[in-house]
Amino acid sequence: MAEVSLSSSGTELTLQGIRKEFPGFVAVDNLDLTIRAGEFFALLGPSGCGKTTTLRMIAGLEDPSAGKILLGGVDITDTKAYKRPVNTVFQSYALFPHLTIFENVAFGLRRRKVSNAKELALAALDLVQLAHVADRRPAQLSGGQQQRVALARAIVNRPALLLLDEPLGALDLKLRREMQVELKKIQADVGLTFLHVTHDQEEAMTMADTVAVMNNGHIEQMGAPESMYDLPETAFVADFLGQSNVFRGMASSANASTIEVAIPGGTTLRVPVARASAHSGDVSVGVRPEKMSIHAGAVAPQTDTNVISGGRVTDVSFTGVSSQYSIDFGPLGNVVVFEQNLKALPTVDLGDVVSVSWKVERGFGLRDHRAAVIDEASEL
Amino acid sequence: MAFAAFADTSEKKSAEPVKKSRVVILMLLPGLAYLLLFFLAPLVSLILTSFMAPDPNSMDMGQFVYSFQWQNYVTVISENWSFFVRSFGFAILATVIALIVSYPIAYFIGVYARPWPAIQAFALILVIAPFFISFLLRTLAWKQLLGDDGWVVTTLKSASLLPADGHITGTAFSVVFGLTYNFIPFMVLPIYTSLERLDMRLLEAGRDLYASPSTTFWKVTLPLSMPGVVAGTLLTFIPASGDFVNASSSFLGGPGTQMVGNQIASNFLKILDYPAASVLSVVLMAVIMVIVSVYVRRAGTEELL
Amino acid sequence: MKGSIFGRALLPIYTILALLFLLIPIVYTFIFSFNDAFKTNIQWQGFTWHNWTNVCDAQGVCEAFGNSIIVGVVATLAATALGTALAIALVRYKFRGRNIVSLLIFLPMATPEVVLGAGLAAQFFSLGTPKGMLTVIIAHTLFCLSFVVVTVKARVASLDASIEEAGRDLYASPGQVFWRITFPLLIPGIAAAALLSFALSFDDFIITYFNSGSMQTFPTFIYISAVRGVPPEANVIASAVFVLAIVGVTISQVVSSVRRRRLAASR
């Protein structure tokens, strides 16, 4: 997995073999994870993948069944929630309805008997531009304002690690975009380690330095957002981060640089060895829809280009800057292609027989295939 | 109010309850000990007392010894079965009438008056107003109003709707009337609570799907207000069947209207026949438990229990 | 029904009449508190302020009223404390026998008062406890307890558990979480439960009658004097309590609706 940096800042988080069982199922299964000090880390996955349970274990709100949690090298597995230097921004904000905004923000400082609690709380409210509502109650604020109060209430404590549990989930799209920018800016300003849990892949990719995709209680893949998008290792990641076309096949031959994969219909696809997470046996070849080209009729294959022919256009939707084509390739399934409308008009029509192609170096090889994603992605 | 909670069957699953034995025990122990000592133990005492036999060494009233005199049940029930019939008859009648009278009131406050919160609040205050004045005094007021010298009786007599020697007080009618009157607020509040939560869009959906207003009422509104109806009928039926104030001759009743409650009170406090009073109490409780559990199951609202 | 003016007006008219019907005995009691009657307050004898200005003239009425207040306050405090703890434990913790505990709490509400009263009296009799203030307070605490649990339970269940988690997250120890977060948030429910308890206790007759012995509360005073005729001073006390309660309820309604409107306006 990701490299473990032994940073001396003392605020990095390490999970070692963390496991959480609930009666009847395993929510988190043997999870290892390291978040470097000062990093904005996103834990991304569908609901029920175990990401929130992981976050709650780090916060101390849930006890792990096995494994260790280290914060700056110190084992905090058995430390009570209220003694951990970790703070959380809750999904529902969980502001104290009976306290003023100011008292909400000052709550943690007062519990720790910080002497200049008042100045610190006001400074935190200033940071989120809400000093003017300090005397109001949470119910008198809008959703976006409540969200910022929840953030101020957590960061005012200068926690070694800030946990964000889908903090933008309850906001509407426009506000969410604004808050994403603001949150990222605040993180840069205060320099805290952020662990952000979300199911919104766009949110994770926009904000995080490192993204970990979680599925069925374990991490499927972890890395920088760009590299994850460019080179997913499993069909689940390929599908969850953006859209992909995946062709299931068997590796037929390989040389030092390229693997050849035979797919149904007699076609052979090539994928660079460096871009494949499996090199023999079951290998699926994937490619992003915007990296494909569409051609009327048949096209002769070339060594640096993969071509699949004989598809029929079943849907064309024009979205302005680009057009989206849906092409039926029979046993290979449906293929989606995005093409920028650089020319005047869409080049092919509904019902046309077409070919698709992409440069070999733009595809990727996956170690599993689509069918496994739905049932048991952890099994190979 | 508690009546709202009484009708509330949807327990929100907020947090996964965690087991923390020491804290739980500390919180539960005092309350549970209280219930054991002053609820369960008295019920056991009642059962024990119901089998007691007169003290052979004493000629005084109210002297009994522990025994297993099961014949008490035979004698007491055979002497008092008519009081049971009357009690449950009166209680069922009062419950049904109170339901018919109360549902429209609850519907008006909870549904009809929704656009006008001030009217809703005002009507609710009027419904609970009787709670704030002693129910004995209210019942006495009716005794006075319906008494032989009151204008109700005089008017009815002059209109020949009541025979010259007729009465209202002291009859079964006035006892059922009193029971109904006293329990109307207990019926209105839970039904109101159910109806108040009713989503108006469901009624619109019903109308949209070709249901006439009356079909919408019978197929949508009434079933959704069932928890309130069940809570209200229980809050009326249970106390009504054990009541002895309305049926007492110094209130709305007479010699021919005595209910089981009157028998229990006089056996316990006047004749000092504790075993007989206990038999009556045990049988009353048992019959109510059976009726209530059958009723709740039939109404499909087991969660209430 | 739809569209017809008659049908549209029927329900409001019915409700007005029904509510007026509910008020008849209250108005009657109020009017007869001004009756210039001695001892028996049955026939209207003329208007007087005397009953209001000399409430305690009728023998025993003020003492009975005082007893009712003492019983109500003590039973309410006891039932609220015991019931709140039970309610929190029932909602927040999963333990073996939780359903039996719930049933045990529900049963007193499903038991006719006459059975509760007779049972407690039988218990006190066999324990040899003399009937009086103490036995009445014990009895009232018992039947108020179940209503407190039901009322507070609803409030606990509606609390967002993440608010308490936020407290733990923000360095509050379990005790601090309870006293600074949970308890303040439960106060409206606890207050409602306490008010309900007091009202139930204050107006209870049947259970009291079985367990009071020679001590009189306001309802047993009325019941016993009903044979000869209730003195108008009892009407004065009942009317005064009624007016106070109605004014209190109305003020709280107005205050909460004003607050709600202000809240809506400030957003």
Side-chain angles (χ1 to χ4, degrees):
Chain A
M1 292 271 151
E3 33 130 13
V4 179
S5 92
L6 293 170
S7 136
S8 58
S9 71
T11 51
E12 72 162 22
L13 174 84
T14 308
L15 303 184
Q16 291 176 351
I18 286 289
R19 181 177 171 86
K20 179 66 185 178
E21 292 168 22
F22 288 112
F25 74 106
V26 178
V28 176
D29 192 6
N30 203 26
L31 193 81
D32 292 300
L33 181 69
T34 295
I35 299 173
R36 280 172 285 129
E39 190 175 29
F40 196 127
F41 191 98
L43 204 50
L44 173 68
S47 60
C49 70
K51 60 188 192 300
T52 295
T53 307
T54 306
L55 175 125
R56 290 173 59 82
M57 286 190 285
I58 298 168
L61 300 172
E62 210 87 67
D63 295 326
S65 312
K68 269 190 193 170
I69 301 169
L70 305 173
L71 192 64
V74 180
D75 186 346
I76 57 160
T77 317
D78 296 320
T79 309
K80 297 251 189 288
Y82 62 95
K83 291 184 178 154
R84 291 187 190 193
V86 171
N87 291 111
T88 310
V89 178
F90 289 83
Q91 184 170 14
S92 58
Y93 315 142
L95 298 180
F96 307 128
H98 58 302
L99 300 180
T100 62
I101 298 308
F102 173 79
E103 284 302 331
N104 262 281
V105 175
F107 190 90
L109 299 170
R110 293 214 203 277
R111 297 291 81 72
R112 288 186 303 149
K113 304 203 163 44
V114 173
S115 54
N116 55 341
K118 193 173 174 194
E119 295 90 87
L120 287 174
L122 286 175
L125 277 174
D126 259 337
L127 183 71
V128 295
Q129 295 154 21
L130 282 176
H132 60 289
V133 297
D135 294 329
R136 296 210 196 150
R137 298 284 165 117
Q140 292 169 282
L141 304 191
S142 69
Q145 288 175 318
Q146 290 185 23
Q147 205 281 329
R148 301 211 305 260
V149 174
L151 182 65
R153 185 178 70 171
I155 57 177
V156 73
N157 299 294
R158 298 286 146 157
L161 173 66
L162 184 75
L163 306 173
L164 301 115
D165 184 6
E166 306 241 7
L168 310 179
L171 304 180
D172 64 45
L173 190 66
K174 190 167 166 286
L175 205 50
R176 204 178 326 162
R177 294 280 173 269
E178 285 172 26
M179 283 307 298
Q180 283 173 9
V181 175
E182 202 165 333
L183 206 54
K184 184 74 186 156
K185 189 178 147 287
I186 288 170
Q187 195 254 347
D189 287 353
V190 297
L192 298 172
T193 313
F194 274 36
L195 170 55
H196 182 131
V197 155
T198 179
H199 67 268
D200 181 341
Q201 49 104 3
E202 204 178 324
E203 191 172 297
M205 291 204 285
T206 332
M207 299 166 78
D209 304 321
T210 309
V211 176
V213 174
M214 231 181 138
N215 184 32
N216 277 349
H218 72 272
I219 291 176
E220 290 254 336
Q221 193 181 343
M222 189 156 83
E226 304 79 15
S227 66
M228 295 267 287
Y229 183 82
D230 181 54
L231 197 50
E233 288 170 7
T234 66
F236 180 82
V237 175
D239 218 36
F240 201 76
L241 281 184
Q243 235 179 318
S244 296
N245 295 304
V246 176
F247 304 96
R248 185 184 176 184
M250 290 293 282
S252 50
S253 69
N255 56 34
S257 64
T258 314
I259 307 168
E260 293 196 337
V261 178
I263 60 167
T267 314
T268 298
L269 300 176
R270 288 186 192 85
V271 63
V273 168
R275 292 179 60 84
S277 56
H279 301 155
S280 59
D282 250 334
V283 174
S284 295
V285 178
V287 61
R288 299 287 184 189
E290 72 275 13
K291 296 190 173 149
M292 300 174 95
S293 302
I294 190 163
H295 316 276
V299 175
Q302 292 164 279
T303 45
D304 65 339
T305 308
N306 286 318
V307 175
I308 305 177
S309 300
R312 190 171 290 275
V313 179
T314 55
D315 188 54
V316 180
S317 43
F318 177 73
T319 60
V321 283
S322 69
S323 290
Q324 181 177 332
Y325 302 90
S326 206
I327 303 149
D328 180 23
F329 277 97
L332 293 175
N334 212 48
V335 169
V336 175
V337 180
F338 298 154
E339 224 170 46
Q340 277 204 293
N341 291 326
L342 299 172
K343 296 158 204 148
L345 282 167
T347 43
V348 295
D349 284 325
L350 206 62
D352 285 359
V353 174
V354 296
S355 310
V356 291
S357 70
W358 68 94
K359 295 279 184 204
V360 167
E361 72 265 22
R362 291 190 178 157
F364 43 80
L366 304 171
R367 61 172 180 255
D368 59 4
H369 51 79
R370 201 176 292 265
V373 176
I374 296 115
D375 307 327
E376 57 270 321
S378 55
E379 308 294 326
L380 276 182
Chain B
M1 300 221 80
F3 309 100
F6 214 92
D8 189 356
T9 56
S10 59
E11 195 170 305
K12 203 178 128 198
K13 301 240 180 336
S14 44
E16 181 76 9
V18 261
K19 199 183 167 182
K20 292 216 178 86
S21 45
R22 221 159 25 112
V23 188
V24 190
I25 288 170
L26 274 177
M27 291 170 93
L28 287 173
L29 206 60
L32 285 185
Y34 201 93
L35 286 169
L36 289 179
L37 212 58
F38 299 115
F39 177 66
L40 278 192
L43 287 186
V44 173
S45 289
L46 264 188
I47 293 169
L48 292 178
T49 312
S50 71
F51 291 109
M52 276 180 145
D55 188 347
N57 303 319
S58 170
M59 293 309 288
D60 290 342
M61 271 167 78
Q63 298 299 312
F64 297 92
V65 288
Y66 284 106
S67 167
F68 187 68
Q69 186 109 345
W70 57 268
Q71 296 92 326
N72 285 350
Y73 278 81
V74 181
T75 24
V76 172
I77 292 173
S78 65
E79 282 166 11
N80 291 284
W81 64 271
S82 62
F83 296 104
F84 280 105
V85 173
R86 191 178 294 134
S87 279
F88 290 119
F90 283 2
I92 289 172
L93 213 54
T95 306
V96 171
I97 299 170
L99 176 61
I100 294 168
V101 172
S102 304
Y103 201 101
I105 304 176
Y107 188 88
F108 174 83
I109 305 174
V111 179
Y112 191 101
R114 262 191 217 183
W116 311 283
I119 292 181
Q120 277 185 305
F122 182 65
L124 265 184
I125 290 177
L126 291 185
V127 168
I128 59 172
F131 285 139
F132 300 134
I133 197 157
S134 164
F135 93 99
L136 294 164
L137 281 179
R138 275 182 282 131
T139 314
L140 278 180
W142 281 120
K143 179 193 165 88
Q144 252 62 279
L145 287 164
L146 302 175
D148 294 347
D149 303 324
W151 66 269
V152 178
V153 167
T154 11
T155 316
L156 288 176
K157 279 182 182 167
S158 65
S160 303
L161 288 168
L162 198 71
D165 60 344
H167 307 283
I168 294 182
T169 51
T171 63
F173 170 82
S174 69
V175 176
V176 174
F177 176 89
L179 289 172
T180 308
Y181 171 80
N182 275 317
F183 292 107
I184 284 175
F186 290 91
M187 188 68 90
V188 175
L189 286 178
I191 301 178
Y192 156 77
T193 312
S194 286
L195 285 174
E196 197 243 333
R197 273 183 250 163
L198 185 74
D199 188 344
M200 293 303 283
R201 284 169 300 182
L202 293 176
L203 304 190
E204 282 161 17
R207 225 168 294 147
D208 181 59
L209 296 165
Y210 315 108
S212 66
S214 76
T215 316
T216 308
F217 176 80
W218 291 107
K219 297 281 178 195
V220 183
T221 313
L222 188 62
L224 287 172
S225 61
M226 261 333 255
V229 171
V230 171
T233 46
L234 291 181
L235 282 173
T236 303
F237 174 77
I238 296 170
S241 51
D243 184 75
F244 64 83
V245 173
N246 288 282
S248 143
S249 21
S250 35
F251 287 79
L252 294 168
T257 61
Q258 302 292 291
M259 294 166 65
V260 169
N262 302 83
Q263 289 302 100
I264 297 175
S266 76
N267 272 306
F268 209 104
L269 300 166
K270 294 207 181 87
I271 313 169
L272 305 187
D273 188 347
Y274 304 122
S278 304
V279 170
L280 292 171
S281 302
V282 170
V283 175
L284 177 68
M285 174 100 186
V287 175
I288 286 179
M289 286 294 137
V290 170
I291 293 179
V292 167
S293 58
V294 169
Y295 170 69
V296 168
R297 214 146 285 162
R298 287 290 299 272
T301 43
E302 286 96 333
E303 320 88 72
L304 269 176
L305 287 183
Chain C
M1 188 168 151
K2 192 181 167 190
S4 105
I5 293 167
F6 180 70
R8 300 239 98 208
L10 203 57
L11 189 60
I13 290 170
Y14 169 83
T15 307
I16 291 167
L17 291 178
L19 292 177
L20 287 177
F21 168 74
L22 284 181
L23 292 181
I24 290 172
I26 299 173
V27 174
Y28 178 94
T29 306
F30 189 71
I31 291 173
F32 272 71
S33 73
F34 295 102
N35 190 11
D36 192 4
F38 181 66
K39 287 236 165 128
T40 57
N41 188 14
I42 295 168
Q43 295 287 317
W44 181 254
Q45 310 281 357
F47 180 88
T48 180
W49 287 107
H50 181 268
N51 307 327
W52 281 79
T53 47
N54 303 60
V55 188
C56 292
D57 275 8
Q59 208 189 353
V61 70
C62 280
E63 198 197 337
F65 177 71
N67 286 340
S68 278
I69 299 279
I70 296 171
V71 169
V73 168
V74 178
T76 297
L77 289 177
T80 308
L82 294 173
T84 302
L86 278 180
I88 295 173
L90 275 176
V91 178
R92 281 299 157 84
Y93 300 103
K94 196 173 266 173
F95 51 89
R96 233 179 296 146
R98 195 160 70 142
N99 291 337
I100 294 171
V101 173
S102 301
L103 186 69
L104 188 61
I105 289 163
F106 174 81
L107 270 181
M109 292 193 287
T111 308
E113 284 192 65
V114 68
V115 177
L116 280 183
L120 274 165
Q123 170 93 336
F124 292 135
F125 177 68
S126 62
L127 290 175
T129 317
K131 289 180 184 175
M133 178 78 83
L134 179 68
T135 51
V136 172
I137 288 173
I138 290 175
H140 283 212
T141 305
L142 172 70
F143 69 75
C144 292
L145 181 58
S146 299
F147 284 96
V148 171
V149 175
V150 171
T151 313
V152 177
K153 221 173 110 181
R155 180 81 194 177
V156 181
S158 71
L159 268 194
D160 180 357
S162 68
I163 290 179
E164 286 165 303
E165 287 179 349
R168 283 159 71 195
D169 186 66
L170 292 165
Y171 314 106
S173 66
Q176 289 175 325
V177 169
F178 181 79
W179 289 112
R180 292 189 178 271
I181 297 166
T182 317
F183 186 71
L185 292 176
L186 289 182
I187 281 176
I190 295 172
L195 282 177
L196 179 71
S197 278
F198 186 82
L200 288 171
S201 162
F202 188 78
D203 201 24
D204 178 76
F205 164 68
I206 295 179
I207 295 177
T208 316
Y209 188 55
F210 275 86
N211 293 289
S212 57
S214 60
M215 198 230 11
Q216 288 195 342
T217 62
F218 190 57
T220 57
F221 172 84
I222 295 168
Y223 186 81
I224 288 160
S225 17
V227 183
R228 305 173 262 112
V230 176
E233 285 82 356
N235 292 38
V236 171
I237 290 179
S239 305
V241 170
F242 176 80
V243 171
L244 277 177
I246 287 290
V247 168
V249 168
T250 312
I251 288 175
S252 79
Q253 284 275 357
V254 170
V255 167
S256 74
S257 89
V258 166
R259 194 178 292 163
R260 227 174 301 136
R261 215 166 298 155
R262 201 175 296 157
L263 199 69
S266 73
R267 282 183 75 150

